């Protein structure tokens, strides 16, 4: 739509700036490929949500992605963003609801990986993911280390139930501090996690996380991430229509949160299921994070057996979505990590 301003950068004719629709998991799904250096190592990024496709196909020509910036990345790597099934350019009303489960998302991501390996004739690629995408990404890195040079988890989720328990406690504290009787009543009524009954039960804590802005931290300048930051990226996109945005934020949201998916996200535990990674791994977390609680990634990082190397960095001005300054620093961290992993 590009209703705000021109692109942050334009890839030269010698590079690649291409939107592709490919068959993945029995349906058509969309990927965006951007690079100034065809033949360079591939970085596949898996967005959060479900049903929040930023970074995603909407990021063509946009430097800031809510997580990192990309202008320098595309000079060194072939950066691929993928809109997951049921969201953005990969939404379709014909997607079977029963396919909206964790195993299918992991299988889809593996198929995207294999498509890129075949298309660009590369045995391995780099993998990065944010939030919900990190549940998919860490599974891939553990199950298929032969397909990846490295893994990077932004706002890495390690155990959804344990995170909900910490979030519940924090929300009770905030509601008490602000004398929010309605929040206290609703949280008391739903009780402590886990929330596996249905979407209605699961959504109560999400409602109050949204009210208390757990995903965003205001650093006091105009460069902090907000909900509008993600919406603006989609509105600026040369590839997104208003229907694509509607499909992402409303129709895709309703499609994604099935009882099966709610069950899946409440039953995995990376502490026990992924105790070791056989590729280099980097985690980047907002130090002001109140959505994916920092104590869990700190503990997981300490316990993780990573013989190829591991690192954990904190972004000082960020919560779940990253401040522009932190996003630029994340890009440099990512470039260094990928280059080091490539040579290892």
């Amino acid at each position: 739509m590009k209703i705000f301003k021109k692109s942050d950068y334009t890839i030269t004719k010698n590079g690649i700036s291409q939107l592709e629709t490919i068959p993945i998991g029995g349906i058509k799904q969309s990927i965006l490929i951007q690079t100034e250096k065809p033949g360079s190592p591939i970085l596949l990024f898996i967005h959060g949500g479900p049903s929040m496709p930023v970074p995603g196909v909407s990021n063509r020509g946009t430097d800031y992605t809510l997580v990192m910036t990309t202008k320098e990345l595309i000079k060194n790597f072939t950066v691929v963003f993928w809109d997951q099934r049921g969201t953005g350019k990969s939404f379709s009303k014909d997607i079977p609801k029963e396919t909206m489960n964790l195993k299918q998302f992991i299988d889809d991501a593996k198929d995207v990986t294999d498509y890129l390996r075949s298309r660009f004739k590369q045995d391995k690629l780099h993998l990065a993911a944010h939030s919900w995408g990190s549940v998919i990404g860490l599974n891939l890195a553990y199950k298929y280390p032969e397909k990846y040079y490295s893994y990077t988890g932004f706002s890495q989720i390690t155990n959804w139930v344990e995170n909900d328990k910490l979030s519940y406690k924090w929300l009770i504290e905030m509601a008490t501090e602000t004398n929010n009787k309605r929040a206290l009543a609703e949280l008391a009524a739903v009780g402590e996690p886990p929330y596996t009954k249905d979407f209605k039960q699961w959504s109560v804590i999400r409602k109050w996380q949204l009210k208390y802005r757990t995903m965003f931290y205001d650093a006091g300048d105009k460069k902090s991430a907000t909900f509008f930051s993600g919406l603006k990226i989609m509105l600026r996109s040369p590839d997104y229509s208003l229907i694509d945005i509607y499909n992402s934020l409303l129709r895709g949201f309703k499609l994604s949160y099935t009882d099966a998916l709610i069950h899946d996200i409440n039953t995995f535990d990376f502490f026990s299921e992924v105790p070791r990674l056989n590729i280099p791994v980097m985690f980047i977390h907002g130090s002001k994070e109140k959505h994916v609680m920092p104590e869990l990634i700190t503990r997981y990082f300490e316990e993780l057996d990573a013989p190829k190397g591991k690192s954990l960095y904190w972004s000082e001005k960020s919560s779940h979505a990253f401040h522009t300054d932190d996003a630029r620093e994340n890009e440099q961290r990512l470039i260094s990590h990928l280059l080091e992993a490539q040579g290892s």
Side-chain angles (χ1 to χ4, degrees), residues 45 54-55 64-69 129-130 154 322 326-328 330:
F45 197 102
V54 179
Y64 175 60
T65 70
L66 292 185
V67 179
M68 77 286 192
T69 49
H130 177 236
F154 295 92
F322 291 81
D326 288 340
R328 204 160 300 286
N330 287 347

Side-chain angles (χ1 to χ4, degrees), residues 23 209 227 276 299 305:
Q209 285 175 327
F227 173 78
R276 176 185 173 97
R299 181 160 65 89
D305 181 13

Side-chain angles (χ1 to χ4, degrees), residues 5-10 60-64 71 236:
K5 64 178 182 178
K6 65 181 182 180
S7 298
D8 297 325
Y9 57 82
T10 301
R60 191 204 296 255
T62 298
D63 189 26
Y64 175 60
K71 192 182 295 185
R236 288 181 58 193

Side-chain angles (χ1 to χ4, degrees), residues 42-158:
I42 302 162
L43 169 64
L44 171 62
F45 197 102
I46 305 178
H47 67 71
S51 197
M52 183 54 191
V54 179
V57 169
S58 62
N59 274 100
R60 191 204 296 255
T62 298
D63 189 26
Y64 175 60
T65 70
L66 292 185
V67 179
M68 77 286 192
T69 49
T70 60
K71 192 182 295 185
E72 298 302 315
L73 264 174
I74 62 164
K75 295 177 182 178
N76 297 274
F77 300 94
T78 299
V79 180
V80 180
F81 292 140
W82 161 47
D83 280 7
Q84 297 165 26
R85 75 169 46 223
T87 190
K89 300 296 285 189
S90 296
F91 177 85
S92 168
K93 61 182 178 61
D94 298 322
I95 296 174
K97 201 171 182 68
E98 61 268 21
T99 68
M100 305 301 288
N101 58 72
L102 179 56
K103 181 181 183 303
Q104 184 64 64
F105 279 104
I106 294 170
D107 288 346
D108 285 355
K110 175 180 173 291
D111 287 350
V112 173
T113 294
D114 289 338
Y115 170 80
L116 294 171
R117 293 168 65 226
S118 175
R119 185 193 188 291
F120 291 100
K121 296 179 173 56
Q122 296 187 25
D123 290 335
K124 297 182 180 184
L125 48 84
H126 297 280
L127 182 64
H130 177 236
S131 188
W132 149 253
S134 73
V135 179
I136 302 170
L138 195 57
N139 268 294
L140 288 176
Y142 178 68
K143 292 179 178 180
Y144 309 107
E146 72 280 2
K147 298 178 187 289
Y148 303 105
Y149 287 114
S150 71
Y151 173 67
T152 301
F154 295 92
S155 307
Q156 177 72 50
I157 298 171
T158 55

Side-chain angles (χ1 to χ4, degrees), residues 1-4 234-242 245:
M1 293 173 60
K2 301 189 73 174
I3 67 173
F4 282 92
M234 288 188 272
L235 288 169
R236 288 181 58 193
S237 171
D239 305 302
Y240 263 45
S241 66
L242 284 175
I245 297 173

